[in-house]
Amino acid sequence: LTSRRMEKYRVWTDDATGINPFVPFKPKRHTGAFSWLRCLARLAFAPILLFFRIPLVLACLSWLFMAHFIAFFIPIRFLKRIFLRYVHILGTRVLLFLMGFFWIPSSKAPETPKPKAGDLIICNRISYVEILYLTFRYSPVFATPITPPVGEGLSEYPLATCSALTMFLDALLGRKMRGSRGDSAPTNDPAAPSKLHTLLMQARKARAPLVVFPEGTTSNGRAILRFLPVFGHLASPLAPAATRVFPLGVSAQFQHFSPCTPVRGGLGHFLALLARPYHQLSATHLAPVTVGKGITPNAALTSGPAGDYSRAAANRLGHGLFGAGTRLRPASTRPGSEAEVWESIRTRMASALGIQRVGLDLFAKYKFLDYWDTTHQRGTSTSADDFHTQ
């Protein structure tokens, strides 16, 4: 019976790649003396790590909340931005250190500029950890897609903003999420849904970039899900003439415990993460793409400051992928062309991370979670091919 149930998870395996992006990682069983010794050592040190880390994590979170409360009373925007920027640099980095992310290596294309106020950062979603990392790097405004309970097939989805701390705690506690099962697309967010160009203007006023997780939910890190259609409003007459889009990919390297939360995050996963000495997360900052009204994927490309890199990237990654400082010029429009622009960016992100694109999306995740909950399974598929070990 268990084998048959596990086999049914293959319904959510991508046909083209054979990857299931929703099934959680399951560590291999302990075999051999060394494996058992490592397990016993982890069990012995886990209470010690939790004893020291939990109070420090709570103190760090309390300090961050207090700093945000103080910032609420700072009337001048640029002073508030400077204050929160230093608070985030210190507070989130200490929090990541306490969680075992001692060093987060990052790579980027040569001469890639830094995101500025009003720029758009799109990032894949694997856990709650990247929320802290993005806050440490940019102190951005976060926006998540709003998906109604029956919303599959809509041409556009609005976005709602939320603070980094709120989003982080929601991921841990399961609030504002469909069934509290690890989705990052809230269905009853109190913030008024807004169009993307409106949020970009709000981010510019707040002197911060805007971060959007276009997948709308988390994955197990093995693939990038299909983007929800949330970018169409960049073609609105009210949108900026040009918006710089910074694709950013995050990946976790692990063997025995995965920081990824494709099904369940929650306090249990967070405590398990704290109980292990260290974890590895890496970030890949891709060269920006300038988008705007009337843009198509077959538009002429011009190289930015790093033209040599742009040509090398195009030769390596193929047609439709863009190098540093790439600008898409307006050209004749055709049906589906705008979606192809974002699909090309998704391809570029997947290639940079060394993973695959899949045809599954947030609504496939909903169906997977419905079945997952009915089976009450804690494991994953029976095939070793369904696990992502590195």
Side-chain angles (χ1 to χ4, degrees), residues 41-377:
R42 186 172 66 247
L43 291 175
F45 282 102
I48 300 174
L49 290 172
L50 291 174
F51 178 80
F52 285 101
R53 283 180 171 178
I54 290 178
L56 293 174
V57 166
L58 293 176
C60 188
L61 287 173
S62 301
W63 181 75
L64 286 170
F65 272 107
M66 182 61 66
H68 275 258
F69 179 76
I70 295 173
F72 180 78
F73 297 97
I74 300 177
I76 304 176
R77 287 179 178 173
F78 83 91
L79 291 179
K80 178 186 292 188
R81 171 67 181 176
I82 293 174
F83 174 75
L84 286 178
R85 189 70 193 103
Y86 282 102
V87 166
H88 290 159
I89 290 174
L90 178 60
T92 56
R93 191 63 193 94
V94 170
L95 192 55
L96 286 167
F97 186 87
L98 294 173
M99 292 165 57
F101 296 93
F102 303 135
W103 179 254
I104 301 178
S106 62
S107 59
K108 64 178 182 178
E111 302 183 30
T112 299
K114 293 183 179 180
K116 297 181 179 179
D119 288 338
L120 175 63
I121 301 173
I122 59 174
C123 182
N124 64 313
R125 187 80 190 275
I126 59 175
S127 180
Y128 43 79
V129 181
E130 60 266 16
I131 300 172
L132 298 178
Y133 172 75
L134 287 164
T135 304
F136 164 70
R137 289 297 302 261
Y138 306 115
S139 297
V141 175
F142 287 94
T144 57
I146 300 296
T147 56
V150 181
E152 187 173 5
L154 297 182
S155 59
E156 289 291 336
Y157 294 94
L159 296 160
T161 59
C162 56
S163 68
L165 289 178
T166 301
M167 196 171 188
F168 176 73
L169 291 180
D170 285 348
L172 291 185
L173 303 178
R175 298 178 303 182
K176 301 181 186 176
M177 297 179 185
R178 184 178 184 273
S180 302
R181 295 170 299 185
D183 301 59
S184 62
T187 59
N188 58 343
D189 195 285
S194 302
K195 297 179 180 180
L196 179 59
H197 68 83
T198 302
L199 298 184
L200 286 170
M201 289 188 289
Q202 294 176 2
R204 186 174 289 107
K205 291 180 180 179
R207 299 176 178 269
L210 177 71
V211 168
V212 173
F213 297 106
E215 295 168 293
T217 186
T218 55
S219 71
N220 57 16
R222 296 189 62 191
I224 294 184
L225 307 180
R226 288 177 59 188
F227 290 170
L228 293 176
V230 296
F231 303 109
H233 295 299
L234 288 179
S236 167
L238 300 177
T243 300
R244 291 199 307 175
V245 180
F246 289 78
L248 189 153
V250 292
S251 60
Q253 296 77 42
F254 54 87
Q255 290 184 344
H256 308 292
F257 175 81
S258 172
C260 304
T261 56
V263 174
R264 300 182 186 276
L267 292 176
H269 183 273
F270 186 62
L271 292 175
L273 185 141
L274 293 178
R276 283 158 174 83
Y278 68 93
H279 307 278
Q280 292 180 291
L281 185 79
S282 61
T284 303
H285 303 258
L286 282 72
V289 176
T290 303
V291 301
K293 296 183 281 290
I295 290 172
T296 61
N298 59 344
L301 303 180
T302 60
S303 299
D308 293 340
Y309 172 82
S310 302
R311 289 188 290 272
N315 292 334
R316 183 174 70 253
L317 301 179
H319 176 70
L321 304 184
F322 318 118
T326 298
R327 179 180 180 85
L328 295 181
R329 292 178 175 173
S332 59
T333 59
R334 53 191 175 86
S337 61
E338 190 170 319
E340 291 179 14
V341 172
W342 299 104
E343 184 64 19
S344 296
I345 294 177
R346 186 171 78 112
T347 301
R348 187 175 166 219
M349 292 173 63
S351 179
L353 293 174
I355 57 179
Q356 299 290 330
R357 296 172 302 152
V358 293
L360 303 171
D361 59 10
L362 170 65
F363 297 99
K365 171 82 171 284
Y366 282 167
K367 296 174 183 178
F368 173 82
L369 291 175
D370 288 336
Y371 184 77
W372 178 273
D373 286 348
T374 60
T375 59
H376 301 287
Q377 296 290 333

